[in-house]
Amino acid sequence: EEELVESGGGLVKPGGSLRLSCAASGFTFTNAWMGWVRQAPGKGLEWVGRIKSKVDGGTTDHAAPVKDRFTISRDDSENKLYLQMNILKTEDTAIYYCTTDYYYDSDGRQLDYWGRGTLVTVSS
Amino acid sequence: SYELKQPPSVSVSPGQTARITCSGDALPKKYVSWYQQKSGQAPVLVMYEDTRRPSGIPERFSGSSSGTMATLTVSGAQVEDEADYYCYSTDSTNNHRVFGGGTKLTVL
């Protein structure tokens, strides 16, 4: 069964750093573009960024509010996705979800997986 | 920055048809997906590429797109369809993904 499991969330002071991990299983991780989506308490969904598969270049894109502070990376040998978050701000407080950004099966159907999320709280 | 606009709320009685709209300048060029999120749960994809329904999503969910507006239709809405719905598409200038602000669907 397909599964994404995030870890690494917690309480951090403004200006601090945190690294989130996402362990993937049950699907061909190397073929998937992977991403992070966040949701502040009581707010809507916000796209954080994504990393393409190695075969599609392995490049990253980050949303404007996190660009130059957050970095997405992947380790295909471990089937893991990462989000390095630096210079954290109170407005970064949110549940962070690991997702498949772009992943299709051999019949051309999109397969969409989400983790349960990990809570990041930025507060002094 | 690119925005997708949704009504904050839509309300219907059980068995009625609910329509949730999403407007964006790039929609004539970019596909729309729709997510359903129930309280305390991760989002679930209910429509992608404007009109395609993922496996396991009931047939009462359908999608359409014309010009700068996309619509998610729930025909014969059920109480269990109560949730927040988000449209999702791509900014044509930088290929970044964007979510709409979300629509709370009430069925009662």
Side-chain angles (χ1 to χ4, degrees):
Chain A
E1 186 179 353
E2 306 83 6
E3 192 173 30
L4 295 172
V5 180
E6 303 94 340
S7 60
L11 175 63
V12 61
K13 288 183 166 51
S17 297
L18 211 56
R19 189 196 198 201
L20 305 184
S21 300
C22 171
S25 60
F27 66 98
T28 310
F29 181 78
T30 53
N31 290 349
W33 296 14
M34 297 297 297
W36 292 93
V37 172
R38 68 184 181 182
Q39 186 168 35
K43 302 296 185 184
L45 301 172
E46 180 183 18
W47 185 76
V48 173
R50 65 139 177 267
I51 184 166
K52 296 182 179 180
S53 60
K54 291 280 194 304
V55 72
D56 288 322
T59 55
T60 57
D61 289 287
H62 299 84
V66 306
K67 195 175 186 303
D68 300 326
R69 298 188 299 121
F70 290 11
T71 303
I72 297 171
S73 61
R74 64 191 297 160
D75 183 342
D76 287 352
S77 68
E78 298 279 336
N79 283 0
K80 285 193 172 178
L81 178 73
Y82 299 101
L83 179 64
Q84 178 65 44
M85 302 186 293
N86 298 330
I87 315 174
L88 281 159
K89 305 176 181 180
T90 55
E91 53 263 40
D92 295 319
T93 294
I95 296 173
Y96 284 75
Y97 294 101
C98 169
T99 77
T100 48
D101 181 86
Y102 181 86
Y103 183 55
Y104 282 73
D105 66 12
S106 56
D107 294 321
R109 293 177 296 218
Q110 183 176 347
L111 301 175
D112 191 71
Y113 307 131
W114 289 62
R116 293 190 170 190
T118 187
L119 178 62
V120 172
T121 303
V122 185
S123 174
S124 55
Chain B
S1 63
Y2 184 54
E3 289 185 355
L4 296 173
K5 295 180 181 176
Q6 299 181 234
S9 63
V10 168
S11 183
V12 297
S13 300
Q16 288 189 326
T17 296
R19 294 181 180 86
I20 300 171
T21 58
C22 173
S23 64
D25 290 341
L27 295 190
K29 296 177 286 188
K30 296 294 185 182
Y31 283 129
V32 167
S33 298
W34 290 91
Y35 284 93
Q36 175 194 69
Q37 187 180 32
K38 296 183 178 179
S39 181
Q41 298 182 19
V44 173
L45 184 69
V46 296
M47 200 65 54
Y48 67 99
E49 290 182 7
D50 295 343
T51 61
R52 299 183 71 180
R53 196 172 50 247
S55 175
I57 301 302
E59 290 184 6
R60 62 180 180 273
F61 287 88
S62 63
S64 64
S65 187
S66 178
T68 59
M69 184 167 289
T71 303
L72 176 71
T73 300
V74 187
S75 303
Q78 316 265 320
V79 172
E80 60 261 33
D81 299 329
E82 267 204 0
D84 293 322
Y85 289 84
Y86 296 89
C87 61
Y88 182 62
S89 188
T90 304
D91 185 339
S92 60
T93 63
N94 56 17
N95 284 325
H96 287 190
R97 313 291 200 200
V98 178
F99 284 98
T103 298
K104 183 175 182 59
L105 174 63
T106 301
V107 182
L108 54 74

